[in-house]
Amino acid sequence: MKLRELFLQNRNEKALPLKAALNLLLLTVIIVAVFWLSLTAVGVTFDFSFVSEYRTRIGQGFLMTLLISLASFAVSLLLGVLSALGQGSRVLMLRYLCGFYVKFSRGTPLMMQIYLFFYIIGTAWGIDNRFVAGVLILSIFEGAYISEIIRGSLLSIEATQWEAAKAVGFSRSQTLRLVILPQMVTRTLPALTGQLASIIKDSSLLSWIAVIELTQTIREISADNFKLFECYFLLGLLYLALTLPVTLITKKLEKKFSYET
Amino acid sequence: MKLELIGLTKTFNGQQVLGPIDFSDTIDTLAVVGPSGSGKSTLLRIIGGLLLPTEGRVMMDGEEAGHDESSLMLYRRRIGFVFQQGGLFRHMTARQNITVPLVHVHGFTQAEADARANALLSRFGLLSQAHKRPGALSGGEQQRIAIARAIAPRPRLLLLDEPTSALDPEFTTEVLDMISELKADGIRFIIVTHEMGFARHACEHIAFLHEGRLLEYGPSEQLFAHPQTPEFARFLSKLLEWNIVRE
């Protein structure tokens, strides 16, 4: 009875620090043990000495992934806003175009889009810079998700907020600037930073068109030294180094703005 | 303040919900009552310039409310409007709700707007709540701040759309008290309400709406005592059915 209590906690309740630490420690031991057993069974060594040898390349790849992600985030934000506005447009062709864009991008695999657009953007439009092409392709894909985030938050703003803005005498542009935009920022920010974490992970697929970002760098290194386990383990850690802080920020923002609604 | 409604109608999706209504009188304090679905809120929104009538015109002191967005905007700026609920901007504090429209619509400086907001908030006992956002205020406080926001620019007419319908009974009183205080200040208003005691004793005139038509209009004491139409008599008797606290 007493022993059981050490491992259980009521739903929606936080555990005391000591109890949490005990459970985390035990869990870590179990996970490490399972991995250790599995890995020794296939005869994997834990030799990370190659890291210092390749550190400049790994650093460059890491930086490239960061750059691609930030650039894609900016461009996809722009595409997302335009597409969200376009879906509410009075111009029918624009409305249908934006709707089609969102459905296509969200409904097909990124891998397929990368190959397809790389030939269109890269070949037909004459963009040979793989960085630019990669950022554009990733932005088109992620922009569709951002478009839905923005459209959802726009729809979630109550009709009375628009009406009250009218009633106090705000013009159309004042209504957007003083009432709608500030409310949308607080409502979309947590979801948008979450999308940034997705962009960071999804950027790894650009390795398929030989953009030398983090994943591609590691693939090249592992093809040299055949240390597949160590390489991909490191790769996972490096992506976590990027996505964990973003996740933490997202959590913080969610808390900060939760009282708003 | 003279209000004229000329041949006013409103149709939603082919269904006529209001009118035709013709009306002309000087407005002091007017309660609009009637069963739900009788078009009270629609009428108030048309008078407030928030909704365009399908046909007809609204004239205030001989000046016609426009038919396009920019002239309607100017017309609305001289009217205060209070919604049933949720009319405060939720991302702004109570004080900002009052000052931001004063600064951006009515050309106050920030200092003038703050002074006006503080004067109103302290007069109505809301100063201690001034820094809070609507979500942290009680329903009654929200409505009183909404009223303070509506009268801050000194509009020529205040319109209140069921300002107490969404409130718990104890908050209803504080909101109605505030409105009757405004009446003592000489503020002219039209209120859509289900509070018959307030309509009868605090409003000079009463208008009874039934299925989109204006069936009765006159001094409230007189109409309450002697309903002219069977519809109004039935409406009153229904409301009073359970209104027997002491007997």
Side-chain angles (χ1 to χ4, degrees):
Chain A
M1 183 64 193
K2 201 90 193 331
L3 196 66
R4 259 183 69 191
E5 297 269 294
L6 276 178
F7 302 100
L8 295 176
Q9 189 74 45
N10 287 334
R11 282 176 237 281
N12 305 322
E13 271 179 22
K14 268 196 140 177
L16 292 173
L18 208 63
K19 195 166 158 184
L22 170 79
N23 281 273
L24 281 173
L25 185 70
L26 270 175
L27 182 64
T28 314
V29 168
I30 294 169
I31 292 176
V32 169
V34 168
F35 267 82
W36 191 272
L37 287 174
S38 317
L39 292 172
T40 44
V42 284
V44 166
T45 55
F46 294 90
D47 178 15
F48 284 97
S49 57
F50 71 94
V51 176
S52 65
E53 185 188 337
Y54 290 105
R55 64 176 185 278
T56 6
R57 280 176 70 186
I58 294 173
Q60 280 167 353
F62 186 80
L63 208 65
M64 186 55 110
T65 285
L66 190 64
L67 265 172
I68 287 177
S69 302
L70 291 178
S72 296
F73 189 50
V75 179
S76 60
L77 204 56
L78 183 73
L79 280 176
V81 169
L82 289 178
S83 152
L85 292 177
Q87 280 186 281
S89 169
R90 286 169 51 199
V91 182
L92 276 180
M93 286 220 284
L94 194 60
R95 193 190 298 175
Y96 297 152
L97 173 72
C98 294
F100 176 70
Y101 157 61
V102 168
K103 285 187 186 71
F104 174 83
S105 285
R106 282 161 46 105
T108 55
L110 176 55
M111 180 78 85
M112 179 231 100
Q113 291 180 36
I114 290 174
Y115 281 128
L116 186 68
F117 287 130
F118 186 59
Y119 285 109
I120 298 175
I121 293 176
T123 315
W125 297 3
I127 298 176
D128 342 313
N129 187 325
R130 282 169 193 272
F131 174 80
V132 176
V135 165
L136 278 178
I137 292 167
L138 195 57
S139 300
I140 290 171
F141 178 72
E142 306 288 344
Y145 289 86
I146 290 182
S147 170
E148 288 296 271
I149 292 173
I150 289 172
R151 205 169 64 93
S153 93
L154 194 59
L155 291 177
S156 79
I157 288 176
E158 301 84 346
T160 38
Q161 294 288 304
W162 291 93
E163 219 177 10
K166 250 187 177 181
V168 300
F170 286 155
S171 65
R172 184 87 187 157
S173 69
Q174 283 174 328
T175 301
L176 290 177
R177 186 160 50 85
L178 299 169
V179 181
I180 305 303
L181 263 177
Q183 295 195 30
M184 282 188 62
V185 167
T186 59
R187 287 178 199 204
T188 51
L189 222 46
L192 284 182
T193 50
Q195 197 61 35
L196 177 58
S198 293
I199 291 177
I200 292 169
K201 287 181 295 172
D202 293 342
S203 72
S204 68
L205 285 172
L206 292 178
S207 60
W208 285 99
I209 52 166
V211 178
I212 316 292
E213 41 68 76
L214 192 53
T215 304
Q216 179 63 13
T217 306
I218 294 292
R219 274 172 51 171
E220 288 173 5
I221 293 171
S222 70
D224 269 357
N225 64 9
F226 302 111
K227 292 190 190 307
L228 263 128
F229 167 73
E230 288 92 335
C231 279
Y232 282 97
F233 186 77
L234 177 71
L235 185 63
L237 287 182
L238 288 172
Y239 274 106
L240 276 178
L242 287 173
T243 53
L244 274 185
V246 174
T247 312
L248 283 178
I249 293 170
T250 309
K251 277 249 162 80
K252 277 250 160 68
L253 289 174
E254 265 168 12
K255 256 208 185 128
K256 185 167 178 223
F257 294 127
S258 61
Y259 70 94
E260 290 271 333
T261 47
Chain B
M1 207 242 22
K2 185 165 185 185
L3 177 69
E4 288 169 272
L5 309 175
I6 303 152
L8 215 59
T9 68
K10 182 69 190 177
T11 307
F12 284 121
N13 302 323
Q15 184 120 29
Q16 184 158 336
V17 294
L18 193 72
I21 286 180
D22 286 282
F23 175 91
S24 175
D25 201 4
T26 308
I27 299 290
D28 31 46
T29 53
L30 168 65
V32 179
V33 302
S36 57
S38 57
K40 306 181 298 285
S41 289
T42 305
L43 176 64
L44 202 71
R45 276 173 165 71
I46 291 173
I47 294 172
L50 292 173
L51 204 60
L52 278 173
T54 306
E55 297 166 306
R57 294 185 293 161
V58 178
M59 313 268 285
M60 211 166 266
D61 283 335
E63 180 191 324
E64 188 175 351
H67 284 273
D68 59 290
E69 192 44 45
S70 59
S71 60
L72 266 181
M73 188 178 78
L74 296 177
Y75 171 84
R76 285 195 292 258
R77 288 179 171 180
R78 300 187 58 193
I79 291 172
F81 203 104
V82 176
F83 296 89
Q84 184 176 348
Q85 62 175 329
L88 291 176
F89 301 124
R90 22 190 344 162
H91 62 298
M92 295 184 193
T93 64
R95 184 186 280 111
Q96 285 169 336
N97 261 285
I98 300 174
T99 59
V100 171
L102 289 179
V103 170
H104 290 272
V105 175
H106 302 282
F108 283 49
T109 64
Q110 188 63 47
E112 287 165 352
D114 283 336
R116 177 79 176 133
N118 286 340
L120 284 168
L121 289 168
S122 75
R123 171 166 175 203
F124 295 107
L126 292 162
L127 207 51
S128 60
Q129 313 293 328
H131 63 284
K132 293 186 184 164
R133 291 201 166 89
L137 299 169
S138 76
E141 287 164 345
Q142 288 183 34
Q143 286 306 69
R144 282 152 64 210
I145 289 183
I147 295 171
R149 179 180 75 185
I151 60 168
R154 301 193 169 83
R156 55 180 169 183
L157 181 65
L158 174 65
L159 303 176
L160 305 118
D161 184 17
E162 301 196 29
T164 62
S165 295
L167 298 181
D168 288 336
E170 71 263 38
F171 296 137
T172 300
T173 312
E174 66 182 44
V175 172
L176 294 180
D177 282 348
M178 179 175 176
I179 299 169
S180 69
E181 229 180 285
L182 297 178
K183 179 190 169 191
D185 289 357
I187 287 180
R188 288 178 282 258
F189 64 79
I190 301 177
I191 182 171
V192 170
T193 187
H194 291 293
E195 299 293 329
M196 289 305 135
F198 186 81
R200 178 170 188 168
H201 301 295
C203 302
E204 316 270 343
H205 287 86
I206 185 170
F208 174 66
L209 238 58
H210 187 266
E211 292 176 356
R213 309 291 293 268
L214 180 62
L215 286 195
E216 299 210 22
Y217 171 75
S220 42
E221 282 292 352
Q222 194 183 316
L223 279 197
F224 268 104
H226 309 286
Q228 305 291 302
T229 58
E231 287 87 353
F232 189 38
R234 207 177 314 128
F235 175 70
L236 286 179
S237 69
K238 259 190 190 161
L239 281 181
L240 296 177
E241 191 177 337
W242 290 103
N243 209 352
I244 26 171
V245 182
R246 285 168 303 184
E247 238 174 68

Short mmCIF file of all heavy atoms in Angstrom, two decimals, chain A residues 165-203:
data_model
loop_
_atom_site.label_atom_id
_atom_site.label_comp_id
_atom_site.label_asym_id
_atom_site.label_seq_id
_atom_site.Cartn_x
_atom_site.Cartn_y
_atom_site.Cartn_z
N ALA A 165 -16.28 46.98 -31.56
CA ALA A 165 -15.34 47.88 -32.21
C ALA A 165 -16.08 48.87 -33.11
O ALA A 165 -15.77 50.06 -33.15
CB ALA A 165 -14.34 47.07 -33.04
N LYS A 166 -17.09 48.37 -33.81
CA LYS A 166 -17.95 49.24 -34.61
C LYS A 166 -18.64 50.26 -33.72
O LYS A 166 -18.68 51.45 -34.00
CB LYS A 166 -19.05 48.37 -35.26
CG LYS A 166 -18.94 48.19 -36.74
CD LYS A 166 -20.21 47.47 -37.18
CE LYS A 166 -20.28 47.28 -38.66
NZ LYS A 166 -21.53 46.59 -39.03
N ALA A 167 -19.20 49.76 -32.61
CA ALA A 167 -20.02 50.60 -31.74
C ALA A 167 -19.22 51.75 -31.13
O ALA A 167 -19.75 52.85 -30.97
CB ALA A 167 -20.66 49.77 -30.63
N VAL A 168 -17.95 51.53 -30.78
CA VAL A 168 -17.19 52.64 -30.21
C VAL A 168 -16.67 53.58 -31.30
O VAL A 168 -16.06 54.60 -30.99
CB VAL A 168 -15.99 52.17 -29.33
CG1 VAL A 168 -16.48 51.33 -28.16
CG2 VAL A 168 -14.96 51.44 -30.16
N GLY A 169 -16.92 53.23 -32.55
CA GLY A 169 -16.60 54.16 -33.64
C GLY A 169 -15.26 53.91 -34.31
O GLY A 169 -14.79 54.77 -35.06
N PHE A 170 -14.66 52.74 -34.08
CA PHE A 170 -13.41 52.44 -34.76
C PHE A 170 -13.65 52.28 -36.26
O PHE A 170 -14.67 51.74 -36.68
CB PHE A 170 -12.79 51.14 -34.23
CG PHE A 170 -12.17 51.25 -32.86
CD1 PHE A 170 -12.07 50.13 -32.05
CD2 PHE A 170 -11.68 52.46 -32.39
CE1 PHE A 170 -11.49 50.22 -30.79
CE2 PHE A 170 -11.10 52.56 -31.13
CZ PHE A 170 -11.01 51.43 -30.32
N SER A 171 -12.66 52.73 -37.04
CA SER A 171 -12.71 52.47 -38.48
C SER A 171 -12.27 51.03 -38.70
O SER A 171 -11.84 50.35 -37.77
CB SER A 171 -11.77 53.43 -39.21
OG SER A 171 -10.44 53.14 -38.82
N ARG A 172 -12.36 50.60 -39.95
CA ARG A 172 -11.95 49.23 -40.29
C ARG A 172 -10.51 48.96 -39.88
O ARG A 172 -10.19 47.96 -39.26
CB ARG A 172 -12.14 49.06 -41.82
CG ARG A 172 -11.87 47.68 -42.32
CD ARG A 172 -13.09 46.82 -42.24
NE ARG A 172 -12.74 45.44 -42.59
CZ ARG A 172 -13.42 44.39 -42.22
NH1 ARG A 172 -14.51 44.54 -41.49
NH2 ARG A 172 -13.04 43.19 -42.57
N SER A 173 -9.61 49.88 -40.22
CA SER A 173 -8.20 49.64 -39.94
C SER A 173 -7.93 49.75 -38.44
O SER A 173 -7.11 49.01 -37.89
CB SER A 173 -7.30 50.60 -40.72
OG SER A 173 -7.45 51.91 -40.25
N GLN A 174 -8.62 50.65 -37.74
CA GLN A 174 -8.46 50.72 -36.28
C GLN A 174 -8.94 49.43 -35.62
O GLN A 174 -8.34 48.94 -34.67
CB GLN A 174 -9.25 51.90 -35.71
CG GLN A 174 -8.59 53.25 -35.93
CD GLN A 174 -9.48 54.40 -35.49
OE1 GLN A 174 -10.70 54.34 -35.57
NE2 GLN A 174 -8.85 55.47 -35.02
N THR A 175 -10.04 48.88 -36.13
CA THR A 175 -10.57 47.64 -35.59
C THR A 175 -9.52 46.53 -35.68
O THR A 175 -9.26 45.82 -34.71
CB THR A 175 -11.83 47.21 -36.35
OG1 THR A 175 -12.79 48.25 -36.24
CG2 THR A 175 -12.41 45.93 -35.79
N LEU A 176 -8.88 46.42 -36.86
CA LEU A 176 -7.87 45.38 -37.03
C LEU A 176 -6.67 45.63 -36.13
O LEU A 176 -6.19 44.73 -35.45
CB LEU A 176 -7.43 45.31 -38.50
CG LEU A 176 -8.47 44.78 -39.48
CD1 LEU A 176 -7.94 44.83 -40.90
CD2 LEU A 176 -8.85 43.35 -39.11
N ARG A 177 -6.22 46.88 -36.10
CA ARG A 177 -4.99 47.22 -35.39
C ARG A 177 -5.18 47.19 -33.87
O ARG A 177 -4.32 46.71 -33.14
CB ARG A 177 -4.55 48.62 -35.84
CG ARG A 177 -3.22 49.09 -35.33
CD ARG A 177 -2.70 50.23 -36.21
NE ARG A 177 -3.69 51.27 -36.42
CZ ARG A 177 -3.89 52.29 -35.57
NH1 ARG A 177 -3.18 52.41 -34.49
NH2 ARG A 177 -4.82 53.21 -35.82
N LEU A 178 -6.30 47.70 -33.40
CA LEU A 178 -6.47 47.87 -31.95
C LEU A 178 -7.19 46.70 -31.28
O LEU A 178 -7.03 46.46 -30.10
CB LEU A 178 -7.25 49.16 -31.65
CG LEU A 178 -6.60 50.46 -32.12
CD1 LEU A 178 -7.58 51.62 -32.02
CD2 LEU A 178 -5.36 50.75 -31.31
N VAL A 179 -8.00 45.98 -32.05
CA VAL A 179 -8.82 44.93 -31.42
C VAL A 179 -8.46 43.53 -31.90
O VAL A 179 -8.16 42.65 -31.11
CB VAL A 179 -10.33 45.20 -31.67
CG1 VAL A 179 -11.17 44.12 -31.00
CG2 VAL A 179 -10.72 46.57 -31.17
N ILE A 180 -8.48 43.33 -33.21
CA ILE A 180 -8.36 41.97 -33.74
C ILE A 180 -6.93 41.44 -33.67
O ILE A 180 -6.68 40.36 -33.13
CB ILE A 180 -8.91 41.89 -35.18
CG1 ILE A 180 -10.35 42.43 -35.23
CG2 ILE A 180 -8.84 40.48 -35.72
CD1 ILE A 180 -11.32 41.72 -34.31
N LEU A 181 -5.98 42.22 -34.20
CA LEU A 181 -4.59 41.74 -34.22
C LEU A 181 -4.04 41.41 -32.83
O LEU A 181 -3.49 40.32 -32.63
CB LEU A 181 -3.69 42.74 -34.94
CG LEU A 181 -3.44 42.43 -36.40
CD1 LEU A 181 -2.60 43.51 -37.05
CD2 LEU A 181 -2.72 41.08 -36.53
N PRO A 182 -4.19 42.31 -31.86
CA PRO A 182 -3.64 41.97 -30.53
C PRO A 182 -4.24 40.68 -29.96
O PRO A 182 -3.52 39.89 -29.34
CB PRO A 182 -4.04 43.17 -29.66
CG PRO A 182 -4.35 44.27 -30.58
CD PRO A 182 -4.79 43.65 -31.86
N GLN A 183 -5.51 40.46 -30.20
CA GLN A 183 -6.13 39.24 -29.68
C GLN A 183 -5.63 38.02 -30.44
O GLN A 183 -5.48 36.94 -29.87
CB GLN A 183 -7.65 39.33 -29.77
CG GLN A 183 -8.21 40.41 -28.87
CD GLN A 183 -9.71 40.29 -28.65
OE1 GLN A 183 -10.28 39.21 -28.67
NE2 GLN A 183 -10.35 41.42 -28.45
N MET A 184 -5.40 38.20 -31.75
CA MET A 184 -4.92 37.06 -32.53
C MET A 184 -3.50 36.68 -32.13
O MET A 184 -3.15 35.51 -32.09
CB MET A 184 -4.98 37.38 -34.02
CG MET A 184 -6.38 37.26 -34.55
SD MET A 184 -6.40 37.42 -36.32
CE MET A 184 -5.43 36.02 -36.80
N VAL A 185 -2.68 37.68 -31.86
CA VAL A 185 -1.29 37.41 -31.47
C VAL A 185 -1.27 36.54 -30.22
O VAL A 185 -0.60 35.51 -30.17
CB VAL A 185 -0.51 38.72 -31.24
CG1 VAL A 185 0.81 38.43 -30.54
CG2 VAL A 185 -0.26 39.42 -32.56
N THR A 186 -2.05 36.91 -29.22
CA THR A 186 -2.03 36.12 -27.99
C THR A 186 -2.59 34.72 -28.21
O THR A 186 -2.19 33.78 -27.56
CB THR A 186 -2.84 36.80 -26.87
OG1 THR A 186 -4.18 36.97 -27.32
CG2 THR A 186 -2.26 38.14 -26.51
N ARG A 187 -3.52 34.60 -29.15
CA ARG A 187 -4.11 33.28 -29.36
C ARG A 187 -3.28 32.38 -30.26
O ARG A 187 -3.35 31.16 -30.17
CB ARG A 187 -5.51 33.42 -29.97
CG ARG A 187 -6.50 33.91 -28.96
CD ARG A 187 -7.85 34.10 -29.57
NE ARG A 187 -8.63 34.98 -28.73
CZ ARG A 187 -9.95 35.00 -28.70
NH1 ARG A 187 -10.63 34.19 -29.48
NH2 ARG A 187 -10.58 35.83 -27.92
N THR A 188 -2.50 32.98 -31.20
CA THR A 188 -1.77 32.14 -32.15
C THR A 188 -0.34 31.88 -31.72
O THR A 188 0.25 30.89 -32.16
CB THR A 188 -1.71 32.78 -33.55
OG1 THR A 188 -1.26 34.12 -33.40
CG2 THR A 188 -3.05 32.76 -34.22
N LEU A 189 0.22 32.73 -30.86
CA LEU A 189 1.64 32.61 -30.54
C LEU A 189 2.04 31.22 -30.04
O LEU A 189 3.03 30.66 -30.54
CB LEU A 189 2.04 33.69 -29.53
CG LEU A 189 3.37 34.36 -29.82
CD1 LEU A 189 3.51 34.76 -31.27
CD2 LEU A 189 3.58 35.55 -28.91
N PRO A 190 1.32 30.63 -29.09
CA PRO A 190 1.73 29.29 -28.64
C PRO A 190 1.73 28.28 -29.79
O PRO A 190 2.70 27.52 -29.95
CB PRO A 190 0.67 28.93 -27.61
CG PRO A 190 0.14 30.22 -27.14
CD PRO A 190 0.19 31.13 -28.33
N ALA A 191 0.68 28.27 -30.60
CA ALA A 191 0.61 27.31 -31.71
C ALA A 191 1.68 27.59 -32.75
O ALA A 191 2.23 26.66 -33.36
CB ALA A 191 -0.77 27.37 -32.36
N LEU A 192 2.01 28.86 -32.95
CA LEU A 192 3.02 29.20 -33.96
C LEU A 192 4.41 28.74 -33.54
O LEU A 192 5.16 28.22 -34.36
CB LEU A 192 3.04 30.71 -34.21
CG LEU A 192 1.89 31.25 -35.06
CD1 LEU A 192 2.04 32.74 -35.28
CD2 LEU A 192 1.82 30.54 -36.40
N THR A 193 4.75 28.91 -32.26
CA THR A 193 6.07 28.44 -31.83
C THR A 193 6.12 26.91 -31.91
O THR A 193 7.16 26.35 -32.24
CB THR A 193 6.41 28.89 -30.40
OG1 THR A 193 5.32 28.57 -29.55
CG2 THR A 193 6.67 30.37 -30.33
N GLY A 194 4.99 26.26 -31.65
CA GLY A 194 4.93 24.81 -31.82
C GLY A 194 5.23 24.43 -33.26
O GLY A 194 5.92 23.44 -33.54
N GLN A 195 4.72 25.25 -34.19
CA GLN A 195 4.96 24.99 -35.61
C GLN A 195 6.45 25.14 -35.95
O GLN A 195 6.96 24.44 -36.81
CB GLN A 195 4.11 25.96 -36.45
CG GLN A 195 3.94 25.55 -37.89
CD GLN A 195 3.23 24.21 -38.03
OE1 GLN A 195 2.35 23.90 -37.23
NE2 GLN A 195 3.61 23.44 -39.01
N LEU A 196 7.12 26.05 -35.24
CA LEU A 196 8.55 26.22 -35.46
C LEU A 196 9.30 24.92 -35.15
O LEU A 196 10.20 24.52 -35.89
CB LEU A 196 9.09 27.37 -34.60
CG LEU A 196 10.60 27.62 -34.66
CD1 LEU A 196 11.05 27.90 -36.09
CD2 LEU A 196 11.01 28.77 -33.75
N ALA A 197 8.88 24.24 -34.08
CA ALA A 197 9.51 22.96 -33.75
C ALA A 197 9.29 21.95 -34.89
O ALA A 197 10.20 21.21 -35.25
CB ALA A 197 8.93 22.42 -32.44
N SER A 198 8.09 21.96 -35.47
CA SER A 198 7.82 21.07 -36.61
C SER A 198 8.72 21.42 -37.80
O SER A 198 9.24 20.53 -38.48
CB SER A 198 6.37 21.19 -37.06
OG SER A 198 5.52 20.71 -36.07
N ILE A 199 8.90 22.70 -38.04
CA ILE A 199 9.73 23.12 -39.17
C ILE A 199 11.16 22.61 -38.99
O ILE A 199 11.77 22.10 -39.93
CB ILE A 199 9.72 24.66 -39.31
CG1 ILE A 199 8.33 25.13 -39.77
CG2 ILE A 199 10.78 25.13 -40.30
CD1 ILE A 199 8.19 26.63 -39.87
N ILE A 200 11.66 22.73 -37.76
CA ILE A 200 13.03 22.27 -37.50
C ILE A 200 13.17 20.78 -37.85
O ILE A 200 14.10 20.37 -38.53
CB ILE A 200 13.40 22.51 -36.02
CG1 ILE A 200 13.50 24.02 -35.76
CG2 ILE A 200 14.72 21.83 -35.67
CD1 ILE A 200 13.60 24.39 -34.29
N LYS A 201 12.19 19.99 -37.41
CA LYS A 201 12.26 18.55 -37.70
C LYS A 201 12.08 18.27 -39.19
O LYS A 201 12.80 17.49 -39.79
CB LYS A 201 11.19 17.81 -36.90
CG LYS A 201 11.49 17.72 -35.43
CD LYS A 201 10.41 16.95 -34.71
CE LYS A 201 9.10 17.71 -34.76
NZ LYS A 201 7.98 16.93 -34.25
N ASP A 202 11.07 18.95 -39.78
CA ASP A 202 10.77 18.68 -41.19
C ASP A 202 11.91 19.10 -42.11
O ASP A 202 12.06 18.55 -43.20
CB ASP A 202 9.48 19.41 -41.60
CG ASP A 202 8.26 18.85 -40.89
OD1 ASP A 202 8.37 17.71 -40.39
OD2 ASP A 202 7.23 19.52 -40.84
N SER A 203 12.72 20.06 -41.67
CA SER A 203 13.81 20.53 -42.53
C SER A 203 14.80 19.39 -42.82
O SER A 203 15.53 19.45 -43.79
CB SER A 203 14.53 21.71 -41.88
OG SER A 203 15.30 21.27 -40.77
#
